[in-house]
């Protein structure tokens, strides 16, 4: 995918008089395919840092450094420490939000959602947009498509910037498509701002073709390699045919010679390859369907980084290159 | 799996009771400094709770330090790391007159459970102390119920404490069902029979073949680990799942998707079992 570049929290802090060491200009791509996501949390961090928290600057730096090192849980704990020490409710909410983000990156979705609950508890409505966003992303990561769609819709309603609404619409469409709701995916894009022609075309392409049937792959897998061929995995098919042929040939030869010990070993091995051919026939159909879905979702979500809602965090504008 | 851990799995309170301990400690803490440690403990983040407890212990003094020390030690027990030193800390807290009574009772309860798991001789005394001295109702229930099961399994010990035993029998009807379930010793679950052939094959490979040919797999997890995981999850179906992986391996490597940097500097390619058995489990 194309990579956006822009100002991270360190650059923002530098502008605001902070003294973070610079460590490259790229926006972190830890949240794959969603550069804007990284951008928003860094924006919130920048807002938190630049809003006069001199006392909290050192712990925040530690948390950000831990984040940079990929120590998600440790970074989240540091943010939580700041939240508990925060005197202003909104500041505590931001720190909780950042902790939620770290937990989310660390695949601890339940904890992430708990932190979002706390952020909302201490600062109701102040973080409506980023909280909705994070909940949607957590739901996507947790493969809870209905919730993801709901939260993206919620984000769309709460957002007051067109590009954020477009992002939310794309997310809702992707969640619906993953939930096998093609009509819902189309509906999610209806009326959304921005150029969504490619996303709509991706949905049409996806809906216009049929999934491979795993049971057909399994039945074809009874002939070694044919299940893989059905799903377009020709190299795997060739390997399966060769392996099965070799071992069947070995069985025939050793059986003919009366070498029953070797025959038994080869038979067990052939059973392995043969059962693998059937399993592979089924699984390759699933893989094919998954790849097709992934490709459609990637197209729907797009590669265009969005601008964060600066009304929420009015510190600086982010600039991305395409 | 160590024998100690196997025994520990039979002892009540080691996994459940997390929230009870955290809530009791949180209620007793009375200080914002321990909030984060208590939260982490309640979430089951033992390592983080241990570190946070030690941090608070270093920062504060008096009763707060004792509570923080207790939490750090119990977290250490849950981690099954530094078990002996954690037990020593809890034993000292239990016996030290300087700590407040509830902290001593909690330390005694946790120490009693740990000592029971280790086959020690102080479990009855520690649990009895917690049972008789605490003013905290949940701890009173749990210490009593645990002590009841402990004494029930040991007739001589039971007969040496007739008053305590009579007391336990008289108040056992008051213990909630959840406390009974939490404190009842549980037998550890062994591996499923269906996964045994796979485990034998992998054990043979790792002992006899792996050392001779070295680490050759370019996928993460390695093929033997993949087979082990598949066998654990699906029994005999681990065989075709593994065969499918052998067939796919060159394609996965050449696709170079999902690279994973290994600690030794090598790059492998992620191919977890979960990517290939979702359909066996049904849709999420």
């Amino acid at each position: 995918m194309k990579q956006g570049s822009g100002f991270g929290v360190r650059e923002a802090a530098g502008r605001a008089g902070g003294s973070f060491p610079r460590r490259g200009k790229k926006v972190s791509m830890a949240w794959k395919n969603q550069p804007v996501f990284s951008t928003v949390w860094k924006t919130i961090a920048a807002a938190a840092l630049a809003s006069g928290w001199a006392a909290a600057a050192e712990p925040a730096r530690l948390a950000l450094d831990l984040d940079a090192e990929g120590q998600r849980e440790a970074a989240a704990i540091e943010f939580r420490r700041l939240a508990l020490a925060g005197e202003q409710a909104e500041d505590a909410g931001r720190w909780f939000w950042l902790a939620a983000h770290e937990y989310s990156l660390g695949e601890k979705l339940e904890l992430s959602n708990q932190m979002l609950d706390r952020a909302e508890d201490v600062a109701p409505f102040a973080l409506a947009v980023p909280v909705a966003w994070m909940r949607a992303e957590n739901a996507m990561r947790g493969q809870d498509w209905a919730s993801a769609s709901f939260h993206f819709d919620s984000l769309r309603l709460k957002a007051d910037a067109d590009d954020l609404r477009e992002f939310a619409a794309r997310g809702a469409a992707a969640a619906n498509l993953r939930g096998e709701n093609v009509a819902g995916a189309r509906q999610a894009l209806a009326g959304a701002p921005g150029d969504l022609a490619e996303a709509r075309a991706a949905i049409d392409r996806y809906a216009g073709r049929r999934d491979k049937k795993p049971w057909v792959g399994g039945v074809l897998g009874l002939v070694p390699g044919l299940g893989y061929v059905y799903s377009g995995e020709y190299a795997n098919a060739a390997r399966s045919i060769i392996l099965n042929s070799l071992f069947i040939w070995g069985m025939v030869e050793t059986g003919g010679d009366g070498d029953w010990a070797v025959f038994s070993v080869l038979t067990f091995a052939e059973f392995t390859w043969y059962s693998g051919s059937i399993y592979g026939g089924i699984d390759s159909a699933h893989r094919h369907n998954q790849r097709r879905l992934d490709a459609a979702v990637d197209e729907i979500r797009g590669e265009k980084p969005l601008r964060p809602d600066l009304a929420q965090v009015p510190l600086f504008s982010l600039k991305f290159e395409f | 799996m160590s024998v100690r851990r196997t025994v520990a799995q039979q002892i009540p309170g080691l996994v459940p009771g997390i929230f009870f301990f955290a809530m009791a400690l949180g209620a007793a803490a009375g200080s914002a400094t321990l909030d984060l440690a208590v939260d982490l403990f309640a979430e089951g983040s033992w390592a983080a709770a241990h570190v946070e407890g030690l941090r608070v212990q270093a920062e504060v003094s008096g009763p707060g330090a004792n509570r923080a020390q207790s939490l750090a030690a119990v977290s250490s027990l849950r981690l099954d790391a530094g078990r002996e030193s954690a037990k020593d800390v809890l034993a000292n807290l239990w016996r030290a007159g300087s700590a407040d009574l509830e902290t001593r009772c909690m330390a005694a309860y946790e120490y009693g459970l740990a000592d029971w798991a280790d086959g020690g001789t102080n479990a009855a005394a520690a649990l009895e102390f917690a049972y008789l001295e605490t003013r905290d109702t949940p701890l009173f229930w749990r210490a009593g119920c645990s002590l009841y099961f402990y004494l029930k399994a040991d007739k001589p010990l039971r007969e040496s404490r007739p008053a305590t035993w009579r007391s336990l029998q008289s108040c056992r009807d008051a213990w909630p069902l959840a406390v009974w379930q939490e404190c009842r010793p549980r037998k550890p679950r062994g591996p499923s029979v269906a996964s045994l052939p796979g485990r034998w094959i992998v054990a043979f490979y790792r002992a006899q073949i792996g050392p001779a040919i070295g680490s050759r797999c370019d996928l993460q997890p390695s093929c033997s680990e993949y087979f082990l995981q598949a066998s654990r999850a699906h029994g005999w179906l681990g065989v075709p799942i593994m065969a499918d992986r052998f067939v796919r391996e060159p394609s996965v490597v050449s696709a170079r998707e999902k690279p994973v940097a290994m600690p030794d500097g090598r790059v492998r390619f992620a191919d977890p079992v979960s990517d290939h058995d979702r359909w066996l489990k049904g849709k999420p």
Side-chain angles (χ1 to χ4, degrees), chain B:
Chain B
M1 182 185 288
S2 69
V3 175
R4 175 179 291 169
R5 185 174 291 200
T6 308
V7 173
Q9 286 172 350
Q10 301 179 52
I11 305 304
L14 289 190
V15 174
I18 292 166
F19 296 105
F20 144 69
F21 184 85
M23 286 170 66
L25 202 64
S31 164
T33 51
L34 204 55
D35 285 353
L36 181 56
V38 171
D39 284 352
L40 292 168
F41 188 90
E43 290 159 10
S45 304
W46 313 127
H50 175 71
V51 172
E52 195 61 28
L54 293 178
R55 186 200 297 263
V56 174
Q57 186 193 342
E59 287 176 356
V60 302
S61 58
N66 288 330
R67 287 172 201 132
Q69 194 180 18
S70 166
L71 187 137
V74 177
S75 303
S76 192
L77 284 179
R78 299 283 196 271
L79 271 174
D80 210 15
R83 190 174 180 82
E84 289 308 318
S85 62
K87 277 179 66 182
D88 288 344
V89 167
L90 290 172
N92 289 336
L93 277 170
W94 161 35
R95 293 181 177 123
S98 58
D100 65 81
L101 185 62
E102 284 310 313
T103 305
R104 290 179 64 198
C105 288
M106 275 189 281
Y109 175 66
E110 292 290 337
Y111 173 79
L113 293 182
D115 201 56
W116 183 3
D118 294 347
T121 55
N122 295 320
L127 292 173
E128 192 175 30
F129 177 85
Y131 170 64
L132 295 175
E133 300 295 332
T134 185
R135 299 290 176 269
D136 181 70
T137 305
L139 181 58
F140 173 72
W141 287 338
R142 282 164 176 82
C145 193
S146 299
L147 184 61
Y148 173 81
F149 280 116
Y150 188 82
L151 293 181
K152 193 179 174 188
D154 191 333
K155 192 175 177 185
L157 199 61
R158 192 166 67 225
E159 287 174 349
S160 70
R161 289 173 159 81
T164 305
W165 182 244
R166 274 199 304 276
S167 166
L168 288 169
Q169 285 188 312
S170 67
C171 66
R172 51 181 281 188
D173 291 341
W175 300 332
L177 182 61
V179 170
W180 279 102
Q181 289 171 340
E182 184 185 311
C183 297
R184 178 178 295 128
R186 288 171 293 277
K187 290 181 180 174
R189 291 180 63 187
S192 75
V193 175
S195 72
L196 283 178
R199 295 165 72 89
W200 289 337
I201 291 169
V202 169
F204 175 77
Y205 171 82
R206 287 184 172 173
Q208 305 297 327
I209 301 174
I213 64 175
S215 174
R216 303 169 70 89
C217 189
D218 286 322
L219 302 183
Q220 177 65 19
S222 67
C223 290
S224 60
E225 181 58 31
Y226 187 91
F227 187 19
L228 214 51
Q229 291 177 9
S231 295
R232 276 194 200 121
H234 305 294
W236 64 271
L237 264 179
V239 172
I241 293 174
M242 189 64 237
D244 176 51
R245 196 202 213 197
F246 276 136
V247 166
R248 287 187 292 107
E249 183 176 349
S251 298
V252 176
V253 173
S254 64
R256 306 188 74 78
E257 291 174 353
K258 302 182 189 172
V260 180
M262 303 305 293
D264 63 1
R266 282 183 61 185
V267 174
R268 288 183 172 179
F269 301 96
D271 183 46
V273 178
S274 57
D275 281 3
H276 302 284
D277 69 351
R278 274 183 204 150
W279 54 274
L280 285 173
K281 297 173 183 168
K283 289 180 181 173

Side-chain angles (χ1 to χ4, degrees), chain A residues 7-312:
Chain A
F7 292 107
V9 64
R10 291 159 202 283
E11 288 80 1
R15 285 187 166 198
S19 59
F20 283 108
R22 297 177 72 84
R23 61 173 179 89
K25 285 225 168 195
K26 280 183 180 176
V27 171
S28 166
M29 297 301 290
W31 192 287
K32 197 178 176 187
N33 297 334
Q34 291 146 45
V36 66
F37 195 71
S38 290
T39 304
V40 162
W41 85 259
K42 288 184 176 181
T43 306
I44 291 172
L49 286 173
S51 59
W53 296 0
E58 282 302 314
R61 185 174 296 136
L62 174 60
L64 290 169
D65 285 346
L66 288 168
D67 165 70
E69 290 169 10
Q71 299 189 48
R72 305 293 175 204
E73 195 171 351
I77 290 169
E78 291 304 320
F79 282 129
R80 286 174 68 174
R81 190 191 312 286
L82 291 173
L84 289 172
E87 292 178 1
Q88 301 294 322
E90 276 192 31
D91 298 344
R94 286 188 188 112
W95 293 128
F96 275 129
W97 192 93
L98 288 163
H101 170 261
E102 293 296 337
Y103 279 130
S104 183
L105 290 184
E107 299 284 346
K108 292 186 179 290
L109 302 182
E110 195 177 334
L111 282 176
S112 177
N113 285 327
Q114 283 178 20
M115 292 304 109
L116 293 177
D117 290 343
R118 287 190 175 198
E120 285 190 316
D121 285 346
V122 298
F125 311 117
L127 297 167
V129 168
V131 166
W133 193 338
M134 178 70 79
R135 286 199 193 281
E137 297 296 350
N138 283 348
M140 288 291 272
R141 293 201 134 199
Q143 302 186 3
D144 184 351
W145 314 126
S147 291
S149 175
F150 171 82
H151 288 301
F152 274 122
D153 283 340
S154 171
L155 173 64
R156 186 174 165 182
L157 291 173
K158 288 169 182 167
D160 54 5
D162 275 355
D163 47 9
L164 201 51
R165 280 202 290 270
E166 180 191 336
F167 179 84
R170 286 173 179 271
N176 276 297
L177 200 63
R178 288 222 182 263
E180 299 181 358
N181 182 0
V182 175
R186 288 197 174 106
Q187 180 71 28
L189 295 180
D195 181 11
L196 296 169
E198 278 186 24
R200 291 191 182 96
I203 295 174
D204 291 341
R205 269 197 305 280
Y206 180 81
R209 292 177 197 157
R210 288 185 179 177
D211 277 346
K212 299 288 182 188
K213 294 182 176 61
W215 70 267
V216 174
V219 170
L220 290 173
L222 291 168
V223 179
L226 216 54
Y228 291 110
V229 171
Y230 173 65
S231 299
E233 296 184 3
Y234 301 111
N236 293 344
R239 283 189 285 271
S240 182
I241 290 167
I242 291 167
L243 283 165
N244 276 282
S245 303
L246 275 174
F247 279 80
I248 289 170
W249 173 76
M251 284 166 62
V252 170
E253 287 293 309
T254 53
D257 294 345
D259 191 351
W260 299 115
V262 180
F263 176 83
S264 302
V265 172
L266 290 178
T267 302
F268 176 76
E270 172 51 23
F271 164 75
T272 300
W273 297 123
Y274 190 72
S275 61
S277 169
I278 298 169
Y279 187 91
I282 300 169
D283 192 48
S284 61
H286 283 285
R287 288 197 293 267
H288 175 275
N289 298 340
Q290 189 64 41
R291 279 195 300 269
R292 206 166 77 82
L293 180 58
D294 288 345
V297 165
D298 283 350
E299 279 190 72
I300 291 167
R301 295 211 72 174
E303 298 172 348
K304 180 185 170 190
L306 302 179
R307 296 171 191 273
D309 182 5
L310 296 182
Q312 293 277 348

